[in-house]
Amino acid sequence: MISIDPESVPDSTGHFGSYGGMFVPETLMTALQDLDREYRAATADPEFQHELDGLLKNFCGRPTPLYFAEGLTHLLGGAKIYLKREDLLHTGAHKINNAMGQILLARRMGKTRIIAETGAGQHGVATATAAARFGLECVIYMGAVDMERQALNVARMKFLGAKVVSVTAGQATLKEAINEAMRDWVTNVRNTHYILGSALGSHPYPMIVRDFHKVIGEETKRQILQIEGRLPDHLVACVGGGSNAIGFFHAFLGDPSVRLTGVEAGGRGITRGQHAARFQGGKLGVLQGTKTWVLADENGQIELTHSVSAGLDYAAIGPEHSYYRDRERIAYDFATDDEALAAFQTLAKNEGIIPALESAHAIAHVIKIAPSLSRETLLIANLSGRGDKDVQQAAEFLLQAP
Amino acid sequence: MLNRIDSKFQELRAAGRTGFIVYITSGDPTPDQTVRLALAMESVGVDILELGIPFSDPLADGATIQAAAGRAITGGTNVAAVLEMIRQIRSASQIPIVLFTYLNPIYIYGYERFLRDAVAAGADGLLVLDLPPEEIVKNSEFVDSKGLLPIRLIAPTTPPDRMEQIARSAEGFIYYVSREGVTGEQTSLSQSISSQVAEIRKHTTLPIAVGFGISTPDHVREVAPQADAVVVGSAIVRKIAEAGDTPDLAARISTFVRPLVDAGKNSANG
């Protein structure tokens, strides 16, 4: 394995080795460069970090617990399983870490209008919450298909005062919502900040979003050392764009004894158009500002994707994940819709926790590997979000059986 | 041999006239119609043709050109098909052709292979919307242009020092995006076009084409005195969509485009 220095990426122009970068139209270049500069200034400003820490603690509920999942551990009979409880955060998922950080950046830059895309709706809810907290105008772009399968989150965003714009282009999911948000930003760039919700898109977003989520892994490390007195053996997280995973893994990248596994959405199985697992059948390409692994056909057109989980249903993976995969520091596997739904059910019944369908992909992987691991093995899954938003959809799949 | 784009601007400069550039999406409604449209555009006096290579996720384009790209992709238009259209146009015309696209389709075709094949087919320039100069410097694979002139965008948000940097890596002409926003028609033009074009001229001697949102003869008359060329896209693409795949499509579009071209020709180049 090549030695890893997690602080060395991205470089000053946003590249993770040969991945990442700023592949955007000229109208956005200046805004992105301004954002990069402002972000670097903010991170050097103790006041900024102090304000963010206060919000994360008192408004969002950090630190989140690291919870010993006794029921699941007993059921699987192998590794000792812990869950990092990001599902207990305000608004129900890790997404609020980034939304709070970016709203403070927007305020520093004097922007009065906030836009965002959302897939599962968690990032939209987090952004609408942050905007409401600071009294900023907020517009959320969401695919029409996602609006239907995540109707509860649409209602939440509206209660929070956001305008939710339905995007009907293409397959009407996350990718199209990002296209529309970027078009809005190109048009309103002078007064608007775009709070991108995952570790993807053009630089500086993959860096900024990762950094605002690094707290997940940093807390986890402190907590496991306190509880078990040693580093964990294996971390597992789901990967759509990859924000919860990179935030969870980051503090452990320099600890070679800790295995890291990202779980992509296997959908209905790895056949074209039926999944969202970029490392299974994807190609090196450029989508929405970044060079990374994408699901594209031989003509370079972006392929349809499918996942039961709206938050993982996206054709490109964050560039930092491509970088660490090449370096064999993070391994990637996938879980299918059926496996994720089964995990959703298993965690609910055996642990009393209903996970988001996204996070259920990580649990599905835990269910696969834990039984064959020794009882001394410390396995931690990031429970990135709670499943309230998915109850209706899961009921259609799971409760209709006789 | 001088590139067709450079010769065209020399010719325009000598004649003291503003050039007229038309954008159409290749393969919309069909490859055959694209070839006929191209030839028809030349016959009504269009100086340069911009051919879009359709991409599934055109984030700098408004609804009109997105829809055209969707129709073209559904009809099977890919990079190879666009190159074939250029070969057919070339068998009857020497109109300068600029390819207008996003990186992914040509990246997956193979960037170098694309440059070679496009030049061989008879293309003259390339405008990749999501490939800024920073990424060309960073990725050696994008440096060589193999004779396909790199056309670069400057936007209303581009600060002067960056104009300088962009102009240095550009050839053929500078495409000034005359509004903050995506492609598409609009009722009135930005007031800052003339001052911005004047600012760009401080940083380059290249000709400046102005586009995005120019959709009527009045717009053309307003912009032509300040620009070396005027670009009209969405207004024409919308007409193509309305007409559909009819035998007289090229004639109908010619009727629509002629007054736009004339509006430019009757305005003195300042």
Side-chain angles (χ1 to χ4, degrees):
Chain A
M1 192 194 295
I2 310 163
S3 81
I4 297 290
D5 173 14
E7 304 310 321
S8 69
V9 288
D11 65 14
S12 62
T13 51
H15 297 85
F16 299 87
S18 60
Y19 301 106
M22 302 177 83
F23 293 91
V24 294
E26 176 57 25
T27 314
L28 290 179
M29 280 303 285
T30 303
L32 289 164
Q33 289 171 338
D34 288 350
L35 178 61
D36 184 30
R37 201 174 315 113
E38 195 61 45
Y39 173 69
R40 290 179 201 269
T43 52
D45 177 358
E47 241 340 276
F48 179 85
Q49 198 54 52
H50 180 74
E51 189 178 7
L52 180 56
D53 288 346
L55 284 165
L56 290 178
K57 177 166 180 262
N58 300 311
F59 185 67
C60 303
R62 297 215 75 91
T64 60
L66 181 67
Y67 169 73
F68 171 46
E70 200 174 356
L72 193 63
T73 299
H74 181 73
L75 176 78
L76 299 174
K80 188 170 185 184
I81 301 162
Y82 283 86
L83 301 174
K84 178 60 174 165
R85 298 292 308 273
E86 293 296 292
D87 61 315
L88 292 177
L89 277 176
H90 183 40
T91 71
H94 72 293
K95 296 290 186 188
I96 193 82
N97 299 324
N98 169 54
M100 291 318 291
Q102 287 204 44
I103 204 102
L104 294 186
L105 274 180
R107 277 161 54 86
R108 268 179 82 98
M109 293 186 290
K111 307 284 185 179
T112 55
R113 181 172 175 270
I114 298 298
I115 58 171
E117 85 296 342
T118 196
Q122 287 304 122
H123 174 59
V125 168
T127 301
T129 297
R133 166 68 183 73
F134 288 102
L136 299 177
E137 183 190 349
C138 182
V139 178
I140 306 290
Y141 289 90
M142 188 168 187
V145 168
D146 290 340
M147 282 180 76
E148 194 181 323
R149 58 179 164 171
Q150 302 286 344
L152 184 66
N153 273 343
V154 175
R156 292 169 79 194
M157 288 182 266
K158 289 180 177 168
F159 288 137
L160 291 160
K163 181 179 167 201
V164 183
V165 179
S166 167
V167 180
T168 55
Q171 69 176 94
T173 59
L174 179 58
K175 172 170 70 77
E176 289 76 19
I178 294 175
N179 285 339
E180 267 331 288
M182 288 186 80
R183 290 182 185 118
D184 179 315
W185 203 32
V186 168
T187 309
N188 300 294
V189 62
R190 290 185 199 261
N191 73 343
T192 298
H193 176 61
Y194 176 18
I195 301 189
L196 189 64
S198 194
L200 47 82
S202 170
H203 178 70
Y205 285 109
M207 171 181 76
I208 290 178
V209 176
R210 172 200 72 191
D211 287 356
F212 285 139
H213 286 304
K214 281 194 323 202
V215 63
I216 306 171
E218 288 161 359
E219 278 177 13
T220 302
K221 196 169 194 174
R222 253 193 331 267
Q223 290 164 322
I224 195 74
L225 288 173
Q226 196 173 30
I227 300 166
E228 293 282 352
R230 69 173 181 93
L231 287 172
D233 298 293
H234 197 159
L235 303 187
V236 177
C238 65
V239 184
S243 67
N244 92 80
I246 203 70
F248 182 48
F249 293 159
H250 198 269
F252 298 92
L253 284 165
D255 300 312
S257 69
V258 183
R259 286 187 62 183
L260 307 172
T261 302
V263 185
E264 296 185 278
R268 301 188 188 100
I270 306 301
T271 47
R272 184 179 269 208
Q274 298 296 318
H275 68 98
R278 290 64 44 105
F279 290 140
Q280 315 286 330
K283 296 180 171 65
L284 181 57
V286 176
L287 180 64
Q288 293 174 333
T290 195
K291 191 172 174 194
T292 186
W293 281 74
V294 299
L295 290 167
D297 69 15
E298 62 282 3
N299 296 318
Q301 309 303 348
I302 304 306
E303 287 184 331
L304 298 182
T305 53
H306 165 80
S307 170
V308 67
S309 127
L312 304 183
D313 196 353
Y314 180 65
I317 191 165
E320 192 163 6
H321 288 282
S322 294
Y323 174 82
Y324 284 118
R325 178 180 180 252
D326 282 2
R327 278 151 191 78
E328 297 182 0
R329 180 61 192 99
I330 305 178
Y332 294 85
D333 206 326
F334 63 92
T336 63
D337 285 355
D338 288 346
E339 290 166 339
L341 285 161
F344 177 95
Q345 179 73 84
T346 300
L347 195 69
K349 282 200 173 146
N350 293 280
E351 211 57 71
I353 298 172
I354 297 179
L357 282 173
E358 290 76 18
S359 321
H361 286 70
I363 304 301
H365 190 73
V366 166
I367 292 171
K368 271 184 236 176
I369 64 169
S372 60
L373 297 170
S374 76
R375 284 162 199 262
E376 290 71 45
T377 304
L378 298 180
L379 174 58
I380 311 178
N382 191 27
L383 199 65
S384 56
R386 59 176 173 249
D388 307 28
K389 68 186 176 63
D390 297 314
V391 164
Q392 194 177 358
Q393 200 196 2
E396 285 170 26
F397 286 100
L398 297 172
L399 301 181
Q400 62 189 201
Chain B
M1 200 184 74
L2 203 55
N3 184 288
R4 293 181 194 90
I5 295 169
D6 292 333
S7 319
K8 176 55 79 174
F9 277 106
Q10 280 188 3
E11 180 193 320
L12 289 168
R13 206 161 274 189
R17 122 182 132 72
T18 302
F20 193 83
I21 302 178
V22 161
Y23 167 91
I24 56 175
T25 300
S26 309
D28 175 41
T30 67
D32 285 351
Q33 292 280 24
T34 296
V35 174
R36 266 177 251 152
L37 283 165
L39 300 178
M41 292 302 97
E42 185 178 33
S43 68
V44 296
V46 169
D47 296 295
I48 296 174
L49 189 66
E50 272 184 19
L51 284 182
I53 300 176
F55 177 47
S56 55
D57 293 83
L59 56 83
D61 283 302
T64 306
I65 293 179
Q66 286 175 51
R71 289 190 295 272
I73 293 168
T74 305
T77 297
N78 57 15
V79 169
V82 175
L83 298 179
E84 178 53 32
M85 291 174 223
I86 297 172
R87 278 190 286 273
Q88 292 189 26
I89 295 167
R90 276 287 166 262
S91 68
S93 162
Q94 291 302 310
I95 188 169
I97 294 175
V98 176
L99 294 170
F100 183 102
T101 190
Y102 295 82
L103 190 51
N104 203 57
I106 58 181
Y107 188 73
I108 285 183
Y109 183 89
Y111 194 78
E112 262 205 57
R113 175 182 163 221
F114 170 76
L115 296 175
R116 268 199 318 271
D117 291 357
V119 168
D124 306 294
L126 174 64
L127 199 170
V128 184
L129 282 154
D130 53 356
L131 183 57
E134 283 80 356
E135 292 300 339
I136 296 167
V137 171
K138 193 77 193 180
N139 297 273
S140 54
E141 59 191 325
F142 302 133
V143 171
D144 196 356
S145 64
K146 305 262 179 235
L148 208 55
L149 300 189
I151 313 299
R152 304 261 184 259
L153 295 173
I154 287 181
T157 49
T158 308
D161 56 333
R162 202 177 146 71
M163 288 181 183
E164 181 94 39
Q165 180 195 359
I166 292 170
R168 265 202 307 275
S169 74
E171 293 179 55
F173 62 93
I174 295 285
Y175 190 134
Y176 177 61
V177 175
S178 57
R179 68 154 167 212
E180 289 171 33
V182 295
T183 58
E185 298 167 77
Q186 61 188 4
T187 48
S188 65
L189 297 179
S190 159
Q191 293 307 303
S192 66
I193 294 177
S194 127
S195 59
Q196 285 289 87
V197 169
E199 179 63 40
I200 299 168
R201 290 207 196 278
K202 292 182 195 161
H203 306 281
T204 183
T205 54
L206 285 173
I208 299 169
V210 176
F212 276 42
I214 298 174
S215 36
T216 66
D218 281 346
H219 291 165
V220 174
R221 268 188 286 276
E222 193 178 328
V223 172
Q226 306 150 42
D228 299 298
V230 177
V231 191
V232 177
S234 296
I236 295 166
V237 172
R238 181 170 57 82
K239 284 286 168 195
I240 293 171
E242 284 168 8
D245 185 10
T246 54
D248 65 341
L249 176 67
R252 287 203 213 181
I253 300 306
S254 297
T255 306
F256 178 72
V257 171
R258 193 174 286 115
L260 291 162
V261 174
D262 291 346
K265 293 201 167 146
N266 297 330
S267 312
N269 186 342

